[in-house]
């Protein structure tokens, strides 16, 4: 039986907050920096989404059913595509129409709802499934949570939503001596099959590709093939941000040339095949259960949720936001619900991280704020205005 290679790309663009001052509270309820969103999206569409989608489409035309890839695209990203770069949606639709691309379900707003509110989590997953159906004409069958966050209990919820395949991180502290290159199952719901990211090989592309100080630089398709072949197990899961191509790893690094060459090298070898998550869990049997009592993710060295909830600032913002759920449930106010969704985007909490050591550089790369405290103050100002609007709506409810 051939070893499977599962290529999965995350596509997300946050809804960034504008500079929202204390004196704006109660006076101006538009929280978002539309200019920055539009500017960044135009840049990344030109550097990554459009050229990379065309490259993948060319590869599918060249190799047919032998080449497959997988995407998850957040609802927040889809909204920005629709608003600022509709050509990106058309290019993803072209990929969908080939039948060789799987689209995953996830939280619509790239949120931490799975850690906070089961009802809101379900709502966002269902909203996201509908968005994927509306945009691409396909119904997601497999699931990836925000930032690959997973635990036994979250897996149980996901299975209850009708998914039988879920992606997460091959974290060392939960695997121990086991390999990430097999299919595993949830210990509570054995019907939920798990695919674990091979973080070593994934990060060789996503983070180390252009590092001239890396002992294995430059990375070629032939060299990477030898690593894929030496990986033990049934399926090697290469999961990464789509912006790896052209944004994080610049075109001049050769990242597009590497990706253009990889399928041909892999397929010519004859011992490997490309697959998608749903096909992988149909083909390969689970080798056993993997227990994950506490949430894991693909972020930072710890592979847990401390990137978003590791300090008091983050926890205060998180708790204050989700405390509004009960009051919102009383209201049929589409504008408030939409703001609630965008304020849940995990990026806002990520910007408040106080990690300064091994992962500090990664956090600073994605952070528009000078300090975590600045990110916290800006967010809490916007959240304070949002809470006032909810309380006013509740006070007039039923009158």
């Amino acid at each position: 039986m051939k070893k499977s290679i599962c290529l999965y790309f995350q596509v997300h663009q946050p809804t960034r907050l504008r500079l929202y001052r204390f004196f704006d509270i109660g006076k101006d309820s538009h929280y978002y920096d539309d200019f920055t969103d539009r500017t960044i999206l135009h840049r990344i569409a030109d550097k990554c989404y459009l050229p990379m989608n065309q490259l993948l489409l060319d590869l599918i035309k060249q190799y047919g059913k032998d080449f497959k890839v997988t995407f998850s695209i957040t609802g927040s990203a889809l909204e920005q595509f629709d608003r600022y770069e509709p050509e990106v949606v058309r290019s993803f639709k072209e990929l969908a129409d080939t039948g060789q691309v799987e689209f995953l379900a996830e939280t619509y707003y790239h949120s931490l709802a799975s850690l906070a509110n089961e009802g809101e989590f379900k709502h966002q997953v269902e909203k996201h499934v509908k968005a994927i159906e509306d945009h691409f004409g396909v119904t997601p069958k497999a699931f990836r949570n925000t930032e690959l966050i997973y635990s036994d209990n979250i897996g149980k919820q996901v299975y209850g939503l009708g998914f039988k395949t879920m992606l997460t991180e091959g974290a060392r502290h939960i695997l121990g001596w086991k390999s990430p290159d097999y299919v595993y199952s949830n210990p509570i719901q054995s019907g939920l099959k798990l695919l674990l990211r091979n973080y070593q090989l994934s990060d060789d592309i996503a983070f180390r590709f252009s590092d001239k100080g890396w002992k294995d630089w430059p990375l070629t398709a032939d060299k990477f093939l030898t690593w894929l072949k030496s990986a033990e197990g049934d399926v090697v899961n290469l999961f990464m941000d789509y912006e790896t191509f052209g944004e994080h790893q610049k075109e001049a690094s050769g990242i597009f040339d590497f990706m253009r060459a990889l399928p041909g090298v892999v397929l010519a070898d004859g011992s490997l095949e490309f697959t998608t998550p749903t096909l992988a869990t149909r083909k390969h049997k689970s080798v056993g259960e993997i227990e994950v009592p506490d949430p894991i993710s693909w972020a930072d060295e710890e592979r847990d949720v401390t990137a978003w909830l590791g300090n008091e600032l983050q926890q205060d913002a998180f708790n204050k936001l989700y405390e509004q759920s009960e009051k919102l449930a009383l209201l049929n106010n589409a504008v408030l619900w939409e703001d609630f969704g965008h304020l849940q985007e995990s990026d806002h909490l990520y910007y408040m991280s106080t990690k300064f050591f091994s992962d500090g550089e990664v956090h600073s790369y994605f952070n528009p704020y000078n300090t975590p405290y600045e990110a916290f103050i800006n967010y809490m100002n916007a959240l304070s205005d949002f809470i006032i609007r909810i309380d006013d709506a509740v006070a007039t409810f039923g009158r």
Side-chain angles (χ1 to χ4, degrees):
M1 184 183 293
K2 290 183 179 181
K3 182 186 298 181
S4 297
I5 308 299
C6 184
L7 272 173
Y8 152 71
F9 305 118
Q10 169 188 286
V11 182
H12 171 59
Q13 286 299 318
T15 308
R16 298 163 185 86
L17 299 181
R18 69 177 178 89
L19 178 59
Y20 194 89
R21 296 180 173 86
F22 174 80
F23 298 103
D24 292 326
I25 299 173
K27 296 178 180 176
D28 186 345
S29 297
H30 183 74
Y31 310 131
Y32 313 114
D33 190 341
D34 303 319
F35 176 79
T36 298
D37 284 348
R38 181 172 66 251
T39 302
I40 291 176
L41 189 63
H42 285 328
R43 185 189 78 221
I44 298 179
D46 288 341
K47 289 187 173 183
C48 171
Y49 301 143
L50 293 173
M52 191 60 184
N53 280 2
Q54 185 60 53
L55 188 154
L56 293 177
L57 185 63
D58 291 343
L59 290 171
I60 291 172
K61 289 177 180 177
Q62 182 176 355
Y63 297 108
K65 293 184 178 180
D66 291 333
F67 182 64
K68 297 176 174 65
V69 294
T70 301
F71 288 100
S72 65
I73 308 176
T74 66
S76 300
L78 286 172
E79 288 181 4
Q80 290 192 39
F81 295 161
D82 288 339
R83 190 177 302 130
Y84 307 126
E85 284 281 353
E87 182 60 29
V88 172
V89 175
R90 286 193 287 271
S91 66
F92 275 116
K93 181 65 166 64
E94 278 191 277
L95 287 170
D97 290 343
T98 67
Q100 303 308 302
V101 179
E102 179 166 8
F103 289 84
L104 307 180
E106 62 170 282
T107 60
Y108 185 92
Y109 294 105
H110 199 68
S111 75
L112 302 181
S114 62
L115 303 175
N117 187 304
E118 189 169 343
E120 176 62 14
F121 179 57
K122 178 182 179 183
H123 163 71
Q124 285 195 32
V125 173
E126 291 174 344
K127 182 180 176 74
H128 184 262
V129 167
K130 185 177 187 307
I132 295 299
E133 290 174 341
D134 290 345
H135 280 81
F136 308 119
V138 294
T139 300
K141 294 182 170 58
F143 187 83
R144 62 88 65 188
N145 198 13
T146 304
E147 304 292 343
L148 296 187
I149 292 173
Y150 172 82
S151 68
D152 296 338
N153 184 58
I154 292 171
K156 179 185 176 184
Q157 293 178 51
V158 168
Y159 185 80
L161 293 173
F163 300 100
K164 297 181 179 178
T165 299
M166 185 170 178
L167 284 62
T168 189
E169 174 69 9
R172 276 180 294 188
H173 69 276
I174 60 111
L175 277 172
W177 57 268
K178 298 175 182 176
S179 166
D181 304 329
Y182 291 96
V183 176
Y184 293 93
S185 56
N186 178 286
I188 303 174
Q189 290 287 0
S190 60
L192 181 71
K193 300 300 186 289
L194 304 173
L195 293 176
L196 310 184
R197 185 175 85 114
N198 184 314
Y199 65 82
Q200 182 69 45
L201 292 178
S202 298
D203 290 351
D204 285 341
I205 300 173
F207 292 108
R208 290 181 279 274
F209 185 85
S210 60
D211 181 6
K212 294 183 180 180
W214 178 35
K215 65 180 178 62
D216 289 304
W217 186 89
L219 180 58
T220 64
D222 290 304
K223 184 185 294 185
F224 199 69
L225 171 65
T226 64
W227 298 348
L228 290 172
K229 292 180 67 174
S230 64
E232 62 171 303
D234 298 327
V235 54
V236 181
N237 299 303
L238 305 174
F239 303 164
M240 64 200 75
D241 286 332
Y242 200 37
E243 295 80 15
T244 294
F245 301 92
E247 175 67 10
H248 306 159
Q249 306 293 338
K250 305 304 181 188
E251 182 181 6
S253 71
I255 190 72
F256 288 100
D257 296 329
F258 169 81
M259 192 62 218
R260 190 176 289 109
L262 185 63
V265 170
V266 167
L267 294 171
D269 180 77
S271 65
L272 304 164
E273 66 177 5
F274 289 96
T275 192
T276 64
T278 297
L279 293 177
T281 54
R282 286 177 184 169
K283 177 179 178 179
H284 302 291
K285 290 187 179 352
S286 168
V287 297
E289 297 174 348
I290 196 88
E291 293 189 2
V292 187
D294 300 310
I296 60 173
S297 78
W298 69 356
D300 298 347
E301 287 293 323
E302 298 90 346
R303 303 293 199 268
D304 57 16
V305 296
T306 55
W308 306 276
L309 296 172
N311 64 45
E312 291 184 1
L313 300 178
Q314 294 168 312
Q315 292 162 16
D316 186 30
F318 176 84
N319 291 332
K320 185 71 71 175
L321 174 66
Y322 282 102
E323 281 173 6
Q324 310 312 312
S325 300
E326 192 170 330
K327 287 183 285 187
L328 272 169
L330 298 173
L331 306 170
N332 185 25
N333 186 316
V335 175
L336 285 175
W337 275 104
E338 184 176 356
D339 283 335
F340 183 52
H342 287 300
L343 288 171
Q344 287 181 65
E345 292 176 19
S346 63
D347 310 77
H348 305 308
L349 296 172
Y350 190 84
Y351 301 147
M352 302 175 200
S353 173
T354 49
K355 292 187 174 186
F356 299 115
F357 298 103
S358 60
D359 301 305
E361 186 176 346
V362 176
H363 282 263
S364 64
Y365 177 86
F366 294 104
N367 199 334
Y369 297 96
N370 293 319
T371 68
Y373 186 69
E374 185 182 312
F376 173 75
I377 292 299
N378 201 58
Y379 182 82
M380 294 305 286
N381 284 343
L383 182 58
S384 296
D385 181 83
F386 180 62
I387 292 171
I388 289 171
R389 291 165 59 206
I390 294 174
D391 290 341
D392 287 347
V394 169
T396 59
F397 179 73
R399 284 186 184 176

